[in-house]
Amino acid sequence: MTKWIEIGTLNDIPVLGSRVVRTASGDIAVFRTSDDEVFALDDRCPHKGGPLSQGIVHNKRVTCPLHNFVIELKSGTAVAPDEGCTRAHPTKVENGVVWLSVQTAVAVPAE
Amino acid sequence: MLNKVNKPKLVVIGNGMAGIRTVELLLDRAPDLYDITVFGSEPYGNYNRILLSPVLAGEKTVDDIMLNTEQWYDDNGITLRKGEMIEMIDRRTCEVVTKEGARVPYDRLLIATGSNPIMLPLPGKDLPGVIGFRDIQDVEHMVQASTSYKNAVVIGGGLLGLEAANGLMKRGMTVTVVHLLDTLMERQLDQVAGGLLRKSLEERGMVFKMPAQTEAILGTDRVTGVRFADGEELPADLVVMAVGIRPNFELARKAGLHCERGIVVSDTMQTYDGRIYAVGECVQHRRQTYGLVAPLFDQAKVCANHLAMKGFATYDGSVVSTKLKVTGIDLFSAGDFAPGADKEEIVMQDASRGVYKRIILRDKKIVGAVLYGDTIDGPWYFQHLRDGTDVSHMRERLVFGAANLGDGGHSGNNSVAAMSDDTEICGCNGVCKGTIVKAISEKKLFTIDDVRAHTKASSSCGSCTGLVEQVLAFTLGGDYSAAPKVKPMCACTDHSHDDARRVIVENGLKTIPDVMKFMDWKTANGCHSCRPALNYYLLATWPGEYRDDQQSRYINERVHANIQKDGTYSVVPRMWGGVTTPDELRAIADVADKFNIPTVKVTGGQRIDLLGVKKEDLPAVWADLNAAGMVSGHAYAKGLRTVKTCVGSEWCRFGTQDSTGLGVKLEKFMWGSWTPAKVKLAVSGCPRNCAEATCKDVGVVCVDSGYEIHFAGAAGLHIKGTEFLTKVATEEETLEIIAALTQLYREQGWYLERMYKWCDRIGLDAIRKQVVDDVANRKALFSRFAHSQQFSQSDPWAARAQRGVDRNEFTPLAELELA
Ligand SMILES: Cc1cc2nc3c(=O)[nH]c(=O)nc-3n(C[C@H](O)[C@H](O)[C@H](O)COP(=O)(O)OP(=O)(O)OC[C@H]3O[C@@H](n4cnc5c(N)ncnc54)[C@H](O)[C@@H]3O)c2cc1C
Ligand code: SF4
Ligand code: SF4
Ligand code: FES
């Protein structure tokens, strides 16, 4: 069953930007696209663990600030030719409030 | 299916390289716009015509050269009608009519019928055994002939003729090449190179008869020989005519479209009938016709853009280069090499090694190149030719190629052909030659952009681009210098940096979305490569007016600190001219203690770096440093970074001027200015140059009589000494010229283009003229610089630490306790 947690309002996240949600099992990056969709990913790039929340957001993708891996916001998969995947968490926006459902499995540490 | 009925119909006549390239690009841009039908008179999918030569030579098979299988057409919902010939275009009813009489309606029509080999009107030309060299059928014919016959004559000593002759020879035939002129490949080679080529082909057993004019082809049931104007006769069981091609525009002409030497098209690849487009060898654009793929691919791009209703792109013509695909013979030619009064030549000939190079210059720029025997630098020369680089500063070394110009060791000084598969080509992304070669052959890549997208090679610092281009050329064997005349900014657009800068100014565009909309960007919000560039261009064009877009800044600039490998940040306070005080040092030490900063390090630019600061601590760290009077050192900025100085006349026994004082003045005047890439300065107090001013973006070397100003040096990825700009008598002039120079760079440089690269592109003389000789212009540049400084000299650290600007950057959105 999905358990939704309220994490803030849409306005707290800059358009084409991101904010971090701290959790005991690691940071989660919450992104907002230009058409106000919200996505959440573990804040660890599948490449070398770079903080995706610090990257540049474009369309439904984010570019990792460390070595330019491009990650799909929806699935967390890297855009070819890069490979790898970071965990995505369900989100929803209702009346300007952002909800997150954190997958409870333990975060897999990056190599 | 229902859907299909409502879509406009695009009909393509010609299933060749230009037509299908256009379709591929169109699918990329507007996947569902049209219901597409392709007619091809040949009974295959789409194949790479260039590689027919290696197929003939037995180095590749027909299967190897297929570009798009029938499955591809299916997958993309395209109806392929192969083996069907279009006989008429009915413009009244907007239909095409096949040879069998079927009528197919179109809303948009694309003609890409290529060209036909010219068959000389000689007696006997229709005999069996006399053919051209154009398609798979011709190759099959030649292969067949080689199994039962001995003697072949190839008429035409151009690129195609020689490739045909080479292939037939490899298949065991005795081949004579007949050429009208006394130079082989006269359109690509000069006499010397043509002679060298002839010699090495003769060594392999090819026979030449030249100059010679063919008078008749002999035989009754099948060709038996050839007779020449001088009366000589040669036995021949196969005659290949490779004397040229003629654009195939009969269909268009009959339909009443305006044709001259080809179908006449506009810069958007439209014929006189706006619904009908044409690309490829069948067209004539600005009086030119082309017979190589590179320009056709440029055309395809523009055409696809227009068909996709993104109408901004235009085609302005191409410069082409050629390579002969005969294994073991290295030959490269590009541009214009006909002698002329306004041209200069640099020639190198090493007869014993069989190497010949001729570089043709006009106005300090490369306009043509002919290389024989050592073609490694072909792509490098070609790049400079296309970019119009001012090469005067490397003139003496030019003929030795890229490897002999100083750099950090990353450029190609090895023959890619000789490299093993595990040789690393791209150091940034760790991509080896084998990986690139594999991707090129398996994924049928054509361009450097394709290679970047699929392998990452050359996608980071770009210093290996030349090498990757060589791997591309070497793997494909053909001429794939397909980079268009102007390089697009990135995959989001077909427009160049210059285009963007020009359009912003001319049309008064003031936001990134406006620019993207105006220029038909292909992506909704661009990417990490174009957005920061546009942000910079707008910032530099409209100082005080444009509102900086934080989300289009790299993280370093967004948070005013350098991101490190573990996601922590490093902080560098400004120390004007490299001078500090005990109080500042104490404050730095206190900050390091208070925030548990693990590493304190002196940088190469005479500053102190605090490494390992947590992001949420940044505002507090800055507040403490601000309290001690220090501001951001912009160590992260594509902007002015440091001014390095020596102790100069104040302390040094050699010092002639106050280099420290001048450095401080320069830094106080110029700090905060954004530039296309980082800018570092240095001031040395005498020619001993202790501040290492001659490898900086701008360097001043003080001498007894004044100040020498140097610029365009680098000591990073590439190592380059500075160029001498000018010498002046006073500090005031020094400051004025350096500010004017920086402003010119700010206005002309492409984003991420370092000052030395900008100088290469624009030319030392052109720059000197604008900032030194033309005093009025210098003053205007200077005042534009000073004007924009009003808006940029505010300390970003103070803004964030004291006034809480962008506070939410540094705090988490929420903290969750999870079970
Ligand atoms: C052997 C060989 C080697 C070459 N080597 C090089 C090289 O190294 N580098 C280089 O840059 N270029 C090379 N070229 C040239 C290059 O192949 C051409 O420039 C390119 O293929 C032209 O593309 P296109 O689409 O205009 O024409 P094509 O590729 O010829 O396509 C035209 C297509 O239209 C079809 N067609 C014509 N009329 C009709 C009709 N009425 N109805 C239906 N279909 C029709 C034809 O069957 C053909 O398939 C070489 C060419 C040959 C033949
Ligand atoms: S550059 Fe000259 S003035 Fe400056 S420290 Fe060196 S020797 Fe002294
Ligand atoms: S040279 Fe520069 S980029 Fe390379 S590791 Fe050192 S600090 Fe990092
Ligand atoms: S850590 Fe993200 S690209 Fe390397």
Short mmCIF file of all heavy atoms in Angstrom, two decimals, chain A residues 45 47-50 64 66-69, ligand 4:
data_model
loop_
_atom_site.label_atom_id
_atom_site.label_comp_id
_atom_site.label_asym_id
_atom_site.label_seq_id
_atom_site.Cartn_x
_atom_site.Cartn_y
_atom_site.Cartn_z
N CYS A 45 23.71 9.87 -8.01
CA CYS A 45 23.85 9.50 -9.41
C CYS A 45 24.35 8.07 -9.51
O CYS A 45 25.21 7.65 -8.73
CB CYS A 45 24.86 10.46 -10.05
SG CYS A 45 25.28 10.07 -11.73
N HIS A 47 26.31 6.90 -11.47
CA HIS A 47 27.70 6.86 -11.91
C HIS A 47 28.64 6.82 -10.72
O HIS A 47 29.11 5.76 -10.33
CB HIS A 47 27.99 8.07 -12.82
CG HIS A 47 29.39 8.12 -13.34
ND1 HIS A 47 30.09 9.28 -13.42
CD2 HIS A 47 30.20 7.15 -13.78
CE1 HIS A 47 31.30 9.03 -13.91
NE2 HIS A 47 31.39 7.73 -14.14
N LYS A 48 28.85 7.95 -10.08
CA LYS A 48 29.73 7.94 -8.91
C LYS A 48 29.08 8.63 -7.72
O LYS A 48 29.75 9.26 -6.91
CB LYS A 48 31.07 8.60 -9.24
CG LYS A 48 31.88 7.79 -10.24
CD LYS A 48 33.29 8.28 -10.40
CE LYS A 48 34.06 7.32 -11.31
NZ LYS A 48 35.37 7.84 -11.67
N GLY A 49 27.78 8.53 -7.67
CA GLY A 49 27.08 9.03 -6.49
C GLY A 49 26.89 10.53 -6.43
O GLY A 49 26.56 11.06 -5.36
N GLY A 50 27.06 11.22 -7.53
CA GLY A 50 26.89 12.68 -7.53
C GLY A 50 25.50 13.10 -7.07
O GLY A 50 24.53 12.37 -7.27
N CYS A 64 23.58 15.30 -14.18
CA CYS A 64 24.37 15.25 -12.95
C CYS A 64 25.49 16.29 -13.00
O CYS A 64 26.14 16.46 -14.02
CB CYS A 64 24.97 13.85 -12.78
SG CYS A 64 26.06 13.74 -11.34
N LEU A 66 28.34 16.30 -11.67
CA LEU A 66 29.73 15.85 -11.63
C LEU A 66 30.30 15.47 -12.99
O LEU A 66 31.35 15.95 -13.39
CB LEU A 66 29.91 14.70 -10.63
CG LEU A 66 29.69 15.05 -9.16
CD1 LEU A 66 30.26 13.98 -8.26
CD2 LEU A 66 30.31 16.38 -8.80
N HIS A 67 29.64 14.58 -13.71
CA HIS A 67 30.20 14.17 -15.00
C HIS A 67 29.17 14.13 -16.11
O HIS A 67 29.31 13.38 -17.07
CB HIS A 67 30.88 12.81 -14.89
CG HIS A 67 31.71 12.63 -13.66
ND1 HIS A 67 31.23 12.04 -12.52
CD2 HIS A 67 32.97 13.00 -13.39
CE1 HIS A 67 32.16 12.04 -11.59
NE2 HIS A 67 33.23 12.63 -12.08
N ASN A 68 28.10 14.89 -15.91
CA ASN A 68 27.11 15.03 -16.99
C ASN A 68 26.34 13.79 -17.40
O ASN A 68 25.93 13.67 -18.55
CB ASN A 68 27.75 15.64 -18.25
CG ASN A 68 28.12 17.08 -18.04
OD1 ASN A 68 27.67 17.70 -17.07
ND2 ASN A 68 28.92 17.63 -18.92
N PHE A 69 26.15 12.83 -16.52
CA PHE A 69 25.19 11.78 -16.84
C PHE A 69 23.82 12.45 -16.91
O PHE A 69 23.52 13.35 -16.12
CB PHE A 69 25.14 10.72 -15.72
CG PHE A 69 26.04 9.54 -15.95
CD1 PHE A 69 27.35 9.72 -16.36
CD2 PHE A 69 25.58 8.24 -15.74
CE1 PHE A 69 28.19 8.64 -16.55
CE2 PHE A 69 26.42 7.15 -15.94
CZ PHE A 69 27.71 7.35 -16.35
S1 FES C 4 28.48 10.99 -10.50
FE1 FES C 4 26.88 11.64 -11.76
S2 FES C 4 27.82 11.74 -13.68
FE2 FES C 4 29.45 11.00 -12.45
#
